[in-house]
Amino acid sequence: MAKGVEITVKYDEKFFKALEILPEDVAKKAMSTSINEALKKGVTEFGRKASGIYNMNKGEIVSKKFTKPKYVMPGSIRKGKIIVKSRRLTVGRTHFASRPSTYKSVEGQKQRNIRRKKTKIKIKKSAGYVPFKGGFIANPSSVKGKNTMVWMRLMQGRRKPIAPVRTISIAQMLSNKEVYQHVENEMEKKYSKRLEHQINRQLDKIGGKS
């Protein structure tokens, strides 16, 4: 699944024409620099906001594996965006959390002697640990990496086949209205602030040469 947040900038020709002394190529460079700084800000704010809502590390949310800003050049100022791609995540040591958190083998024990704790998972921090019916902690030796995580049986009444429980994706985190609007607003504020700074900087340079 993929999700993107764009910083949409329309080149305001009248605005730059009114400045007269600021060449168009310099103006576009100022805009592209400001857009790129806004994109960096967007990535930072996405990680901060999402990690505050979901039980997942900020660094992993904005890692290059999932979150990639598409920076712009002076000649392509309308193409800036943040692209987020990921499949739905599992529940284990790396993503979210579960109780119990460790796997204890019951191999060789009789079924009537096995006492299983109810499996609970924590996706959103505010919701805490929520019971997950049918889920169990396992570390199958047949699975590459042998990750301890929450699994579920695909056929009722049968031990196999099993599959890892998958929850939400990083892209769905960005789709959260609270997260998306926060990122968008912070990017717009950053862009406006940096554009003003860049324009004043260029005007100072021109003024110094005259």
Side-chain angles (χ1 to χ4, degrees):
M1 182 178 181
K3 173 70 178 177
V5 55
E6 296 186 11
I7 178 165
T8 304
V9 178
K10 183 178 180 180
Y11 179 60
D12 194 340
E13 186 177 354
K14 290 182 179 180
F15 172 71
F16 287 112
K17 188 176 181 180
L19 294 175
E20 292 185 351
I21 58 174
L22 191 63
E24 185 175 330
D25 61 333
V26 175
K28 285 186 175 182
K29 184 177 180 180
M31 290 184 75
S32 64
T33 300
S34 302
I35 291 171
N36 290 337
E37 290 190 34
L39 290 170
K40 290 179 182 178
K41 177 68 172 176
V43 171
T44 299
E45 290 300 320
F46 172 43
R48 188 179 71 81
K49 190 68 174 180
S51 64
I53 296 174
Y54 299 97
N55 191 43
M56 191 169 175
N57 183 274
K58 173 186 173 181
E60 187 170 15
I61 292 173
V62 298
S63 67
K64 293 180 180 179
K65 180 180 178 182
F66 301 128
T67 306
K68 296 180 181 180
K70 184 177 180 182
Y71 296 118
V72 301
M73 299 292 287
S76 59
I77 58 176
R78 298 177 184 177
K79 296 181 179 180
K81 65 177 69 175
I82 298 171
I83 302 171
V84 179
K85 292 182 179 181
S86 85
R87 63 188 301 184
R88 290 189 296 124
L89 303 171
T90 55
V91 180
R93 292 179 179 176
T94 55
H95 312 305
F96 311 120
S98 65
R99 286 183 177 170
S101 59
T102 56
Y103 168 66
K104 185 177 180 180
S105 176
V106 295
E107 188 176 353
Q109 297 183 42
K110 293 183 178 180
Q111 190 67 30
R112 64 174 178 271
N113 295 331
I114 298 174
R115 296 179 63 184
R116 296 189 184 277
K117 294 181 179 179
K118 290 184 178 179
T119 301
K120 296 181 180 181
I121 62 176
K122 185 178 181 182
I123 308 301
K124 281 191 171 184
K125 290 182 176 179
S126 60
Y129 285 89
V130 179
F132 187 84
K133 188 177 180 180
F136 60 93
I137 306 298
N139 187 345
S141 59
S142 60
V143 177
K144 185 179 180 181
K146 300 181 181 180
N147 292 325
T148 298
M149 60 181 74
V150 181
W151 297 74
M152 63 185 295
R153 304 190 193 286
L154 299 181
M155 298 182 69
Q156 190 173 0
R158 294 190 179 184
R159 290 180 59 81
K160 293 182 179 181
I162 63 173
V165 171
R166 293 194 175 276
T167 56
I168 65 172
S169 66
I170 305 293
Q172 285 174 310
M173 291 182 187
L174 181 58
S175 295
N176 181 316
K177 187 177 180 180
E178 184 181 351
V179 176
Y180 186 89
Q181 288 184 343
H182 173 79
V183 172
E184 193 174 49
N185 290 338
E186 289 299 319
M187 286 172 62
E188 288 178 359
K189 286 192 291 185
K190 184 70 172 181
Y191 171 73
S192 297
K193 183 178 179 179
R194 296 308 298 170
L195 180 61
E196 182 179 0
H197 170 78
Q198 289 292 332
I199 290 175
N200 288 336
R201 183 182 178 189
Q202 295 300 328
L203 288 173
D204 287 343
K205 285 182 178 181
I206 293 174
K209 293 177 181 179
S210 60

